[in-house]
Amino acid sequence: MVAAYGVTDGPDAMDEQQKPKISRETYSAGECVFREGQFATCAYIIESGRVEILKEAIGGPLLVNTLRAGELFGEMALIIDTNRTATVKATEETALLVVNPGVLNAKLEAADPVVRRLVKVLINRLREQMKARADDIAAVHTS
């Protein structure tokens, strides 16, 4: 079930993905929210339930993290405009708030330019560290 909640009213000519809005989605245990490599279209806030963050590896998927209610995921790809860096699956009945790019972009654009740049640099560094960590984990599991 998906329900949309308008955050602000934008111009009628604005693309749906750019209009700031938040919707709700539910996932059953084992259901995939998104897969590594897919184009990012939103971020998620866990309302209830739990998800696993998985990285693809030669020996099969590797568990990177487990997230619970109140936690945010999927935001990195939106901010730096790239594909998903991991697969996310619900481990139990899970309700998610879906935040489209318009909401995140509006918040970033409203931020001080120095803060905006700092956030982007930190996210790029975090992405590099996550990739190196995943590569290290994969190397251990394939040796």
Side-chain angles (χ1 to χ4, degrees):
M1 177 179 177
V2 177
Y5 303 93
V7 176
T8 61
D9 293 328
D12 291 336
M14 207 179 230
D15 179 270
E16 272 307 303
Q17 279 288 43
Q18 295 174 346
K19 286 183 184 177
K21 71 177 179 183
I22 297 175
S23 59
R24 180 176 283 113
E25 294 179 1
T26 57
Y27 293 85
S28 301
E31 195 172 356
C32 188
V33 178
F34 58 75
R35 297 195 181 283
E36 184 174 341
Q38 284 181 328
F39 183 72
T41 59
C42 57
Y44 299 86
I45 300 170
I46 304 171
E47 262 193 326
S48 63
R50 191 177 305 194
V51 299
E52 289 181 335
I53 312 297
L54 305 160
K55 288 288 291 175
E56 296 300 321
I58 294 171
L62 298 172
L63 178 63
V64 175
N65 203 356
T66 300
L67 303 177
R68 295 166 177 75
E71 296 190 84
L72 171 75
F73 65 93
E75 75 288 351
M76 288 176 51
L78 293 178
I79 294 170
I80 61 173
D81 196 29
T82 189
N83 294 339
R84 300 292 188 189
T85 59
T87 295
V88 176
K89 288 187 179 182
T91 60
E92 59 190 56
E93 184 75 18
T94 301
L96 303 174
L97 291 177
V98 183
V99 182
N100 79 341
V103 173
L104 293 177
N105 290 336
K107 296 290 186 189
L108 277 177
E109 290 305 315
D112 178 276
V114 173
V115 172
R116 184 171 48 246
R117 182 67 186 145
L118 177 63
V119 168
K120 289 182 180 184
V121 166
L122 291 173
I123 288 171
N124 281 327
R125 287 185 185 160
L126 179 59
R127 180 181 293 280
E128 290 169 10
Q129 289 176 355
M130 285 178 61
K131 183 182 180 326
R133 181 173 179 232
D135 290 346
D136 290 345
I137 291 170
V140 167
H141 287 283
T142 58
S143 315

